[in-house]
Amino acid sequence: MSKLLNVSASPHVRSSAATSSIMCDVLIAMAPAALFGIWYFGFRAFLIIVLCVAASVLTEYIYEKAMKKPVTITDLSAAVTGMILALNMPVYIDLWIPVLGCVFAILIVKQLYGGLGQNFMNPALAGRCFLLISFAGQMTQFYPDGVSGATPLAALKAGEAVDLMEMFVGMIPGTIGETSVIALLIGAAYLLAKKVINWRIPVIYIGSLAVFVLLLGGRGFDLGYVAAHIMGGGLIFGAFFMATDYVTSPITPAGQIIYGVCLGVLTGVFRIFGPAAEGVSYAIIFCNLLVPLIEKVTIPRPFGREARQNGKE
């Protein structure tokens, strides 16, 4: 049965791009942020990246072998999941914790739902949220003593001033891959240039958050405050590398616009009105769940098809 021709609705669009080449581009795009994180945080950051990628690939390989399914590790999707999760880790976390997060992401969120293309939420983000809930202390510890590691967003929430240039360069507390805005933008430019991602979701996401912060942030027309929210936390990383995941984001242009607005509003709600300073991961996970509904109401009507009236064609 697996060799039968699968027929789907038109139009049929073919592309020479394979999954492995797309995932390779994503890995290349994350390289600047990863290299900066290794330079800034040291060898331990490199070790976490290697462990997460290896754990993700090995988990996928073992599961597919055990279930007698085709081994798909060569498509590099497991490596991408491991890299994203690694770049979302604080450098001083116990090394076994990110490995556990990778096993959860690949086994529970990806493979048990059918593998690549079947997962209902981003596996790497699901793994990070699992770790945030299970190991909140270690996931928010950005210095060895756990005391002096307030992130810029935490400082903003406490009413303190932040240095925008340090945030842009990346000389701030944070996770391995989220601190350097310039490194992330280099990777984002690469993805856009290679047409791996579309501009709609990240630009509308960031713009919606900026408008939300201006209107409801409580600081009036303070552009520095807005800039700090854009550059702080995991917004740039999340907008370009996680919210744009093919499987868990809308495919229609109108759906991508709605999705981006929902992401910006939810992130703003979590940051401004919630108890925590961050909110990107939970906003993306929640909006992943809304994607089927968004696509249902934004899917274009087939050409020549009349609108339904009174329940009839």
Side-chain angles (χ1 to χ4, degrees):
M1 292 294 291
S2 62
K3 295 183 179 180
L4 291 179
L5 178 65
N6 291 320
V7 180
S8 60
S10 62
H12 305 284
V13 180
R14 293 185 178 273
S15 172
S16 60
T19 300
S20 58
S21 66
I22 293 172
M23 295 300 167
C24 183
D25 282 335
V26 176
L27 289 171
I28 292 171
M30 287 190 286
L35 291 173
F36 181 88
I38 293 169
W39 173 80
Y40 184 52
F41 293 108
F43 177 76
R44 191 175 176 85
F46 172 76
L47 186 58
I48 290 174
I49 292 172
V50 171
L51 283 174
C52 283
V53 172
S56 297
V57 172
L58 188 60
T59 299
E60 183 160 298
Y61 177 83
I62 293 173
Y63 175 82
E64 290 174 337
K65 276 292 188 181
M67 295 294 106
K68 301 187 184 327
K69 298 174 64 176
V71 175
T72 59
I73 59 173
T74 55
D75 67 13
L76 300 181
S77 62
V80 168
T81 296
M83 177 70 88
I84 292 176
L85 194 55
L87 297 183
N88 274 289
M89 291 294 108
V91 74
Y92 297 109
I93 196 167
D94 288 345
L95 296 178
W96 63 271
I97 294 178
V99 171
L100 177 63
C102 291
V103 173
F104 179 88
I106 296 295
L107 182 60
I108 305 299
V109 183
K110 183 182 179 184
Q111 290 298 336
L112 291 186
Y113 281 89
L116 182 65
Q118 305 299 319
N119 45 283
F120 65 99
M121 63 175 63
N122 186 296
L125 274 182
R128 184 179 191 233
C129 290
F130 166 70
L131 296 181
L132 279 169
I133 294 170
S134 304
F135 309 99
Q138 291 219 33
M139 287 292 290
T140 55
Q141 177 178 315
F142 300 108
Y143 277 83
D145 54 15
V147 176
S148 59
T151 63
L153 286 183
L156 278 179
K157 203 168 186 66
E160 302 173 9
V162 296
D163 189 318
L164 294 180
M165 184 53 66
E166 286 186 353
M167 295 177 70
F168 184 70
V169 175
M171 311 298 285
I172 55 173
T175 64
I176 294 170
E178 74 177 14
T179 59
S180 177
V181 173
I182 188 171
L184 290 169
L185 290 179
I186 291 171
Y190 176 83
L191 290 179
L192 290 169
K194 295 282 287 186
K195 297 183 179 180
V196 173
I197 64 173
N198 185 278
W199 63 268
R200 289 189 192 91
I201 291 174
V203 171
I204 294 171
Y205 181 4
I206 295 169
S208 298
L209 176 65
V211 172
F212 187 96
V213 171
L214 271 177
L215 297 178
L216 301 172
R219 298 287 187 93
F221 196 74
D222 186 345
L223 294 181
Y225 182 66
V226 175
H229 267 282
I230 291 174
M231 294 191 291
L235 179 63
I236 301 297
F237 190 27
F240 287 99
F241 293 92
M242 292 180 278
T244 54
D245 174 44
Y246 287 177
V247 180
T248 56
S249 63
I251 60 173
T252 62
Q256 292 172 355
I257 293 171
I258 295 171
Y259 181 67
V261 172
C262 290
L263 286 168
V265 170
L266 273 178
T267 303
V269 169
F270 291 146
R271 285 186 175 185
I272 303 299
F273 302 110
E278 185 53 281
V280 169
S281 295
Y282 292 116
I284 296 176
I285 286 292
F286 185 83
C287 288
N288 286 166
L289 303 178
L290 296 179
V291 168
L293 177 61
I294 292 173
E295 291 195 323
K296 182 178 180 180
V297 300
T298 60
I299 195 76
R301 184 180 300 129
F303 180 75
R305 186 183 182 91
E306 296 180 356
R308 287 175 177 264
Q309 294 182 353
N310 300 322
K312 297 181 180 180
E313 295 287 355

